[in-house]
């Protein structure tokens, strides 16, 4: 949580300074998925059509690599990130609907009290803790890079507007009526009266019941 805040904060975050302030991207962001099972830490940058995707990608990757070791996380960065996160926690605790929503996320992780445990761990985390996380998870072998390039004129299937079922069937006429079968009385006596029995050469007994 602290590492993500240090890297993505606007305007003090490292990614903002490396990409937005240098005009390599129009915006940066990221989020950390807190899940029951191991999740992921995601960072993103958006560029204009006249900007270089490769330059933005290179700057983003270099910023992550620097945080992992070349340019260690500073105490000032940790304290600024801590203050922002804890302030957001306090604001959230003043909103009943947000409290319920956030606690439900931690219930999904295993226990609602994990919310408060996470808050307390953020309070006590050190620069060394954050740097250890950066070194452990921002390594190239643990990274997946995706690039989305929008098509200027996408060839999409045209879907007609929906039609109400009532409108679709209002003038419908079915097939011509066909002769109905007989009204068969399924009583045991009628079934027995209509049944014809015989024995096949093999010895099997055959019973036939004809109906119109």
């Amino acid at each position: 949580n602290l590492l993500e805040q240090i890297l993505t904060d606007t305007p003090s975050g490292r990614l903002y300074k490396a990409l937005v302030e240098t005009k390599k991207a129009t915006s940066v962001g990221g989020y950390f998925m807190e899940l029951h099972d191991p999740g992921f830490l995601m960072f993103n940058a958006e560029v204009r059509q006249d900007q270089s995707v490769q330059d933005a990608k290179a700057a983003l990757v270099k910023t992550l690599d620097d945080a992992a070791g070349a340019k260690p996380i500073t105490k000032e960065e940790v304290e600024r990130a801590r203050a922002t996160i804890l302030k957001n926690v306090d604001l959230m605790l003043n909103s009943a609907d947000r409290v319920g929503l956030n606690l439900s996320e931690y219930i999904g992780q295993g226990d609602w009290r994990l919310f408060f445990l996470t808050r307390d761990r953020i309070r006590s985390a050190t620069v060394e803790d954050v740097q250890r996380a950066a070194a452990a998870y921002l390594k190239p072998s643990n990274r997946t890079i995706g690039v989305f390039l929008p098509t200027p004129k996408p060839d999409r299937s045209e879907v007609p507007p929906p039609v109400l079922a009532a409108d679709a069937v209002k003038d419908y006429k079915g097939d011509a009526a066909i002769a109905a079968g007989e009204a068969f009385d399924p009583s045991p006596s009628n079934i027995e009266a209509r049944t014809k029995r015989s024995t096949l050469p093999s010895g099997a007994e055959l019973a036939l019941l004809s109906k119109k």
Side-chain angles (χ1 to χ4, degrees):
N1 278 315
L2 288 164
L3 180 61
E4 183 270 326
Q5 180 67 28
I6 289 168
L7 290 168
T8 64
D9 182 65
T10 298
S12 64
R14 290 194 179 191
L15 288 174
Y16 185 90
K17 292 182 177 298
L19 283 93
V20 179
E21 288 188 357
T22 61
K23 309 299 183 183
K24 291 184 174 66
T26 58
S27 66
V28 295
Y31 60 90
F32 170 55
M33 296 293 291
E34 297 182 68
L35 307 171
H36 177 276
D37 299 311
F40 57 88
L41 175 61
M42 192 181 90
F43 302 101
N44 64 277
E46 294 186 2
V47 302
R48 294 190 304 267
Q49 288 188 339
D50 60 346
Q51 292 176 310
S52 169
V53 173
Q54 294 302 320
D55 288 349
K57 183 170 69 172
L60 189 149
V61 169
K62 184 178 186 304
T63 303
L64 299 182
D65 288 341
D66 286 346
K71 294 182 179 179
I73 304 298
T74 67
K75 182 178 180 180
E76 179 186 3
E77 288 176 319
V78 172
E79 293 305 326
R80 183 167 54 239
R82 191 197 325 273
T84 298
I85 294 174
L86 293 179
K87 176 183 177 182
N88 289 335
V89 169
D90 288 340
L91 292 174
M92 186 273 292
L93 290 174
N94 288 322
S95 174
D97 58 336
R98 291 180 61 196
V99 169
L101 180 61
N102 277 271
L103 290 184
S104 70
E105 293 293 329
Y106 283 91
I107 290 171
Q109 295 178 48
D111 193 297
W112 61 271
R113 290 169 294 185
L114 291 172
F115 168 79
F116 298 101
L117 179 63
T118 300
R119 177 199 60 186
D120 294 347
R121 286 177 171 176
I122 289 173
R123 284 174 175 169
S124 62
T126 65
V127 178
E128 291 75 20
D129 292 331
V130 180
Q131 190 60 59
R132 184 168 59 252
Y137 299 114
L138 297 184
K139 59 181 61 176
S141 62
N142 196 41
R143 179 183 302 153
T144 298
I145 299 177
V147 179
F148 170 66
L149 299 174
T151 303
K153 294 182 179 181
D155 181 17
R156 295 192 173 97
S157 299
E158 293 296 331
V159 179
V163 178
L164 294 176
D167 292 337
V169 301
K170 65 180 180 179
D171 296 323
Y172 175 76
K173 295 181 180 179
D175 292 340
I178 59 175
E182 64 176 297
F184 182 80
D185 174 18
S187 65
S189 59
N190 188 50
I191 293 174
E192 183 62 32
R194 294 277 291 269
T195 300
K196 295 181 179 180
R197 291 182 170 83
S198 62
T199 302
L200 300 178
S202 64
E205 294 184 351
L206 176 66
L208 299 176
L209 176 59
S210 60
K211 297 178 182 178
K212 293 181 181 180

